[in-house]
Amino acid sequence: MKVLVDADACPVTDIVVEEARRRNVPVVLYTDTNHVLRSDYAEVKTIGAGADAVDFALVNGTSAGDIVVTQDYGLAAMVLAKKAYGIGPFGKVYSEANIEDLLTRRAITKDARRKGSHVKLRGAKKRTTADDEAFRSAFVSLLETALNNQ
């Protein structure tokens, strides 16, 4: 079992590495050539820039029982299909029960943007310490579940 992170602009990479290291769980950070990451614990895989190149490399590196950290619902759906766990940077655990609704909402929002809808679409909110703690709590719980299910 390992933790894989869609690390381009991921706000929780340090938390992931810290908690995985405490449990001696390997971490792999996936990034494109536009980002430079270094870690004294995690393996860093830099993937050539290109539409979804990092996502496909991450999916190909995922095995059943792994944990994937991503805010991309499409990527989350692909790793769930591989029987891996998925979690977002705000602590949302992706599952077969919620991924279809998340993908549908994403499609509706994308369509509204494309059409230039007058619907007010919220941008990303500023990250808080409470957000980090909510992620940490959910991630630790998911880590323990994954470790117990090995």
Side-chain angles (χ1 to χ4, degrees):
M1 192 268 275
K2 62 192 173 298
V3 178
L4 301 94
V5 182
D6 183 4
D8 292 340
C10 179
V12 294
T13 302
D14 291 341
I15 295 169
V16 169
V17 170
E18 178 186 332
E19 295 298 342
R21 182 190 308 226
R22 284 185 182 157
R23 292 157 183 83
N24 201 31
V25 174
V27 175
V28 183
L29 306 176
Y30 285 80
T31 185
D32 67 26
T33 55
N34 295 318
H35 297 85
V36 177
L37 293 178
R38 291 184 179 78
S39 175
D40 63 349
Y41 181 76
E43 176 184 359
V44 177
K45 290 195 177 196
T46 303
I47 310 301
D52 301 321
V54 171
D55 293 351
F56 291 123
L58 193 152
V59 169
N60 288 333
T62 301
S63 300
D66 288 345
I67 296 174
V68 174
V69 180
T70 183
Q71 59 188 350
D72 182 326
Y73 299 151
L75 177 57
M78 288 188 281
V79 301
L80 288 174
K82 292 187 87 168
K83 304 299 181 206
Y85 300 94
I87 186 171
F90 288 93
K92 175 88 169 169
V93 175
Y94 306 121
S95 68
E96 295 297 330
N98 67 16
I99 197 66
E100 189 174 327
D101 183 52
L102 294 169
L103 288 169
T104 299
R105 282 195 245 165
R106 179 183 77 165
I108 290 168
T109 301
K110 184 177 182 180
D111 190 49
R113 284 189 182 117
R114 185 180 54 79
K115 291 178 179 176
S117 171
H118 298 309
V119 175
K120 177 142 173 77
L121 301 172
R122 293 181 295 159
K125 67 177 187 169
K126 185 173 174 152
R127 191 158 186 92
T128 66
T129 303
D131 294 331
D132 287 344
E133 289 310 311
F135 172 79
R136 183 184 305 272
S137 177
F139 180 66
V140 166
S141 178
L142 189 57
L143 259 177
E144 295 299 331
T145 296
L147 287 167
N148 289 332
N149 288 335
Q150 281 189 3

